[in-house]
Amino acid sequence: MDGNGRWARQRHLPRVAGHRVGARVVRRVVEECARRGVGHLTLFAFSSENWRRPADEVSVLMELFVRALRDEELRLQEHDVRLSVIGERGALPARLQDAIARVEARTADCRGLHLHVAANYGGQWDIVQAARSLAAAAACGALAPDAIDEAGFAARLALGSAPPVDLLIRTGGELRISNFLLWHLAYAELYFTDTLWPDFDIASLDQALAWYAGRERRFGRTGEQVQAGAAGA
Ligand code: FPP
């Protein structure tokens, strides 16, 4: 969700004004994805590197997350959206940790869209914590090193049993992954748009989904194989 700061600067507003508008866009996009039957949506709200930002911007962002959780709690449940936060949450402010725990518990039985919010998340951190957990299981004899495979590794990542990412959307014009879901993006289709996140609307979402629908997903096979498979299906 890149481009909040630039959106605000273009309007001679403080950067945090862009984050506030960005939070409203989050609500619309989540509701629209839930309405369309998307199974999983992961939003990169705050990376492990974002702590390097000015302290007042970080604290506004944390406050915005607390407020969004409080304001959206009921609405998430009404839309059957299950919320999970991924990332190293122990470093987040206690108030935010409490709000996260409350909304996660309240929406745990929701079976519509599963919304994952990445907060203090880094793809490298995720891979390391999964490796650490596998190493601990191996060290105490609960797991044979030879038994470690891709599926077992993925299950220990923060997204757990969520499927691999089909489509990554990055707004704001940068052509980078920025330490997002490194493992899960292995075969994702990557969609980059110059639209700044506060300007990302339902039409922008439609454009991204239409682009995705036109992609041929080969997963290592040839185009002829994929087409023959589709014709036989
Ligand atoms: C990146 O834009 C955006 C962020 C680091 C924060 C994202 C947060 C929100 C959209 C607000 C609320 C989110 C939730 C889940 C309630 P940037 O600041 O790097 O923009 P720039 O590249 O233009 O400076």
Side-chain angles (χ1 to χ4, degrees):
M1 300 185 287
D2 200 10
N4 293 346
R6 277 167 286 161
W7 182 94
R9 287 289 181 228
Q10 285 170 5
R11 289 159 180 77
H12 309 288
L13 295 167
R15 292 176 49 81
V16 294
H19 295 316
R20 291 201 179 92
V21 177
R24 294 208 284 273
V25 173
V26 166
R27 178 200 283 176
R28 280 203 298 277
V29 167
V30 168
E31 285 186 7
E32 189 61 17
C33 287
R35 204 180 64 75
R36 289 173 187 228
V38 172
H40 294 263
L41 172 68
T42 306
L43 299 174
F44 203 4
F46 193 84
S47 76
S48 27
E49 290 76 31
N50 284 150
W51 295 109
R52 298 174 188 155
R53 293 187 172 215
D56 54 345
E57 180 170 339
V58 170
S59 89
V60 167
L61 275 170
M62 296 298 153
E63 203 40 52
L64 211 50
F65 298 150
V66 172
R67 207 172 315 151
L69 286 165
R70 193 192 59 209
D71 294 351
E72 300 306 321
E73 197 171 338
L74 189 60
R75 197 190 294 253
L76 288 173
Q77 211 178 10
E78 281 169 3
H79 285 83
D80 206 20
V81 175
R82 176 177 176 192
L83 177 94
S84 301
V85 171
I86 58 167
E88 214 174 350
R89 67 174 76 181
L92 299 172
R95 251 160 59 77
L96 179 53
Q97 291 186 46
D98 292 347
I100 290 169
R102 197 181 57 244
V103 181
E104 282 182 336
R106 185 163 185 173
T107 62
D109 295 328
C110 293
R111 289 291 170 263
L113 172 69
H114 194 161
L115 171 65
H116 310 267
V117 175
N120 194 20
Y121 177 87
Q124 292 177 339
W125 162 82
D126 199 3
I127 290 170
V128 168
Q129 67 79 25
R132 202 181 289 135
S133 126
L134 286 166
C140 72
L143 180 69
D146 285 351
I148 297 172
D149 59 9
E150 285 89 339
F153 195 98
R156 302 219 180 209
L157 292 163
L159 278 180
S161 59
V165 173
D166 290 317
L167 169 65
L168 168 93
I169 300 175
R170 181 173 184 146
T171 57
E174 306 290 1
L175 306 179
R176 283 194 290 270
I177 302 299
S178 298
N179 201 14
F180 193 34
L181 300 166
L182 299 180
W183 175 282
H184 313 77
L185 292 175
Y187 265 101
E189 301 295 328
L190 307 179
Y191 180 83
F192 297 99
T193 170
D194 288 336
T195 302
L196 305 174
W197 177 253
D199 290 327
F200 192 85
D201 56 12
I202 303 306
S204 318
L205 181 65
D206 276 334
Q207 265 174 27
L209 295 176
W211 174 86
Y212 173 76
R215 302 294 304 158
E216 180 182 67
R217 307 200 70 203
R218 292 197 289 274
F219 298 99
R221 292 189 293 272
T222 67
E224 289 77 9
Q225 285 176 305
V226 172
Q227 281 143 32

